[in-house]
Amino acid sequence: MTTTASTPSLVLADPTELVIGENIRTDVVITDDPEFVRSIAERGVLTAISATRRADGTLRIIDGQRRILAAREAGLSAVPVLVDAESDDERQAQIDRVTGQLHTNEQRAPITTRHKVGAVTELLDLGLDVERVAKITQLGEKFTRTAATAGRSAKVDDHLADRRLTLDDAAILAELETAADRYPAIPDRIERILGGYGISYHLAHLREDVAAMDAATAAATEYAQRGFTVIHNEPSTTGGDWFTPADLRTPDGEPIPDDAPDSAPHLWHVHPSEAGVVWVDADGHGVDDTLIDWDTRDDPDLEAIDGLIRADAVTKTTSWSFEFYLHHSRRADAGFALAPELAAAGGDAGDAEDGLSPSQRAAARAEAERKDADRAQRRRTIALNRAGGVATEMRRAFLTGLLSAKSAPKNTTRWVVGVLARHPSLLTEFKAGELYGSITGTDPTTAAAKAAKATAAQCEVLLLARVLTAFEARLTGTQDSKDYWRYGEKSYRGLQGIDTYLTFLADAGHTLSPVEQAAIGNTTVAAAYATLDDD
């Protein structure tokens, strides 16, 4: 880098002649701060404005945008300006400008998250990497990486401006916008979320929905390449819009061939769904879990029993099932008729010429309704489980923050004594120790040593950490279950202490999600499901 060596000089300049260059504050409306304008009018600009003198002699402002705008609004004829020579290295000058504005503004009128995100984006655009930006801005690498994602979206910028989004929300929103090309319904869902309550929770839930759709799309790649249209929500077959192969007949009244979808993939839709977890070896072949020596999982030196395979030689993966559906608009092209039972299920008892008796027709309707109810129940369970997983992630993030504080919430000791009296086995069941470690970042065996050096307030936090993480383990079980929303339908939720646990978190500042509210009976499972937009 080369620069023109000079000593800064202090001059008086007309604020209307100063050139306001780029600034990380992009939304300054000085008339929104009449007190600041009044102060400038009465006392003048007390802190000199920073500027560089350009080759044409004009002064370009580096720092002092608000003071200049206030001076213009107040009608001042001169303001103090500290003038330096302009750098010959334009890129470095831009970097110096952004970082200088970030730090000096932070020392005066604190800048918003939006401005910080803009500063990070601009520095990245100048070619700096994330590590360098994090260092020179002193914003930290986590903030910088998140801002790098969030700063690419105009929608994110708008919502950061009105401060409705956290930085993490903004990053999720920017990520979701990239999914709009793949899934056309995403923009409408985003708008509904941003127009309602619980934005953080619903954005996180939508991100999980997108991840699930991406996984299903990947699983159905072969079908898509063959011409099938992939659909992500299992359709209803009772409304006359969709048909399964079992619902259709050939013109001769025979069941359609098993390979009918494969013979005309452009007419058919395929719905992928998770069928469970399977274990596969290095070659991708399935392995029965009874043939795996699980004792070798945590012992690399232990040999597997004869006839069994080592646990570290297999990988857990998701298996998928695929169901085919024909839309009613394609039935004529496919040349298929409806099965008599399906025709009867959609008609009135006396007007269907299908050769069925009234009792057979009624049974057909009942069977069609049962199948549709089963599909609806599966969809409901999948959506609620996914919501439970999102709620667990957000709840544990809250726990990490709560248990890193220097003191516990008010009345913690009284609450702990009460719950341990009612649940004496709490600290030794499930995987309480493991969750303590993952949530607090420390091994539970170190708690005694920490307590020996801690203040009374810190000891109370240590005790609370053991109790809350044990309750978290009880809530989700040994397999990190996501279906704890079902507790709302079980009378023993109070006996398990789930009510008191989640209520304590709510009193400590955690916003309970709809599935958590259902788990403790504050709302119904049906009402919790109604809050989930899973179109």
Side-chain angles (χ1 to χ4, degrees):
M1 180 185 77
T2 60
T3 58
T4 303
S6 67
T7 301
S9 59
L10 185 65
V11 302
L12 291 176
D14 185 339
T16 63
E17 296 180 357
L18 298 174
V19 178
I20 299 177
E22 298 90 342
N23 198 289
I24 63 172
R25 288 187 191 272
T26 58
D27 54 357
V28 175
V29 180
I30 202 63
T31 52
D32 289 345
D33 193 352
E35 290 299 322
F36 182 62
V37 174
R38 186 178 301 112
S39 172
I40 292 292
E42 295 174 353
R43 304 171 62 191
V45 174
L46 302 181
T47 302
I49 292 160
S50 298
T52 58
R53 189 177 297 281
R54 300 193 296 189
D56 61 3
T58 57
L59 299 179
R60 182 174 65 174
I61 300 308
I62 300 299
D63 173 50
Q65 178 185 204
R66 294 179 71 250
R67 281 166 282 163
I68 293 171
L69 294 175
R72 291 176 180 176
E73 184 70 19
L76 299 187
S77 59
V79 294
V81 182
L82 192 63
V83 182
D84 204 347
E86 192 167 46
S87 170
D88 294 335
D89 187 334
E90 181 61 25
R91 176 175 176 274
Q92 186 60 45
Q94 290 289 74
I95 293 172
D96 292 342
R97 172 187 61 78
V98 173
T99 55
Q101 289 171 351
L102 184 65
H103 295 314
T104 55
N105 277 307
E106 191 75 312
Q107 291 168 7
R108 297 189 185 102
I111 60 176
T112 65
T113 297
R114 181 196 187 195
H115 299 137
K116 294 177 184 178
V117 169
V120 167
T121 304
E122 191 169 352
L123 290 171
L124 292 171
D125 287 343
L126 287 168
L128 276 64
D129 59 26
V130 167
E131 291 75 13
R132 179 64 177 156
V133 172
K135 183 176 181 180
I136 66 175
T137 60
Q138 301 176 19
L139 291 173
E141 190 166 330
K142 181 180 183 299
F143 182 100
T144 303
R145 289 192 182 280
T146 307
T149 301
R152 302 300 179 188
S153 165
K155 183 182 291 294
V156 166
D157 186 66
D158 290 341
H159 285 285
L160 282 175
D162 62 23
R163 305 188 186 190
R164 297 191 68 220
L165 297 181
T166 67
L167 180 61
D168 287 338
D169 293 339
I172 294 175
L173 177 56
E175 178 185 329
L176 289 172
E177 286 189 307
T178 66
D181 292 338
R182 304 193 299 279
Y183 309 114
I186 295 298
D188 286 342
R189 290 187 62 178
I190 289 175
E191 289 304 317
R192 289 195 289 272
I193 290 171
L194 295 178
Y197 298 96
I199 289 177
S200 296
Y201 170 75
H202 288 294
L203 282 176
H205 185 267
L206 179 53
R207 179 176 60 179
E208 289 299 307
D209 280 352
V210 169
M213 289 189 291
D214 284 344
T217 299
T221 297
E222 179 186 346
Y223 290 96
Q225 291 173 342
R226 287 159 53 192
F228 290 94
T229 300
V230 179
I231 51 176
H232 293 97
N233 285 330
E234 187 177 17
S236 168
T237 59
T238 59
D241 289 329
W242 294 94
F243 309 108
T244 68
D247 298 327
L248 303 170
R249 295 290 184 269
T250 67
D252 297 331
E254 298 296 324
I256 68 173
D258 292 339
D259 63 352
D262 289 315
S263 301
H266 63 289
L267 298 178
W268 289 81
H269 292 68
V270 62
H271 172 248
S273 60
E274 294 187 19
V277 171
V278 295
W279 298 92
V280 297
D281 60 20
D283 296 324
H285 300 136
V287 177
D288 191 308
D289 60 2
T290 61
L291 299 178
I292 302 171
D293 187 348
W294 296 108
D295 291 336
T296 64
R297 177 166 38 191
D298 301 316
D299 189 344
D301 299 323
L302 183 64
E303 292 187 8
I305 297 173
D306 287 345
L308 300 184
I309 187 172
R310 285 188 55 83
D312 56 12
V314 295
T315 303
K316 183 168 66 173
T317 187
T318 301
S319 66
W320 294 83
S321 63
F322 301 92
E323 296 178 270
F324 299 102
Y325 292 88
L326 186 71
H327 193 259
H328 73 89
S329 61
R330 300 294 185 88
R331 185 166 66 87
D333 294 335
F336 296 134
L338 297 184
E341 293 81 6
L342 185 65
D348 294 329
D351 63 5
E353 307 222 351
D354 47 34
L356 300 178
S357 67
S359 61
Q360 289 174 319
R361 200 171 292 116
R365 287 199 196 91
E367 177 64 10
E369 290 171 359
R370 183 194 65 77
K371 289 181 178 179
D372 208 42
D374 287 346
R375 291 189 182 95
Q377 181 61 39
R378 282 196 298 272
R379 179 169 173 169
R380 173 179 179 266
T381 299
I382 290 170
L384 287 168
N385 283 352
R386 193 172 297 151
V390 171
T392 294
E393 181 180 345
M394 299 183 74
R395 185 176 61 252
R396 291 181 181 179
F398 174 80
L399 281 172
T400 297
L402 179 68
L403 299 176
S404 64
K406 294 181 179 180
S407 60
K410 187 178 180 181
N411 294 325
T412 286
T413 300
R414 180 178 291 108
W415 180 80
V416 167
V417 169
V419 295
L420 289 181
R422 292 190 296 274
H423 307 280
S425 64
L426 181 68
L427 303 182
T428 58
E429 63 186 15
F430 297 109
K431 55 176 186 178
E434 181 182 332
L435 269 184
Y436 177 94
S438 64
I439 290 173
T440 67
T442 59
D443 192 296
T445 60
T446 65
K450 286 185 176 181
K453 303 176 182 178
T455 64
Q458 292 169 332
C459 286
E460 190 177 28
V461 174
L462 288 171
L463 178 61
L464 180 64
R466 288 305 308 271
V467 173
L468 291 183
T469 54
F471 265 127
E472 178 65 20
R474 177 176 281 189
L475 176 65
T476 56
T478 56
Q479 300 298 318
D480 269 349
S481 300
K482 303 173 183 178
D483 64 347
Y484 48 83
W485 48 270
R486 298 181 190 273
Y487 288 158
E489 300 174 342
K490 299 176 181 178
S491 60
Y492 67 78
R493 68 174 187 266
L495 297 177
Q496 295 295 310
I498 302 306
D499 294 21
T500 189
Y501 167 54
L502 292 179
T503 300
F504 181 89
L505 294 189
D507 291 341
H510 174 57
T511 301
L512 295 180
S513 67
V515 287
E516 290 168 322
Q517 295 278 8
I520 61 176
N522 284 354
T523 189
T524 64
V525 173
Y529 178 56
T531 68
L532 304 177
D533 185 355
D534 65 342
D535 292 335

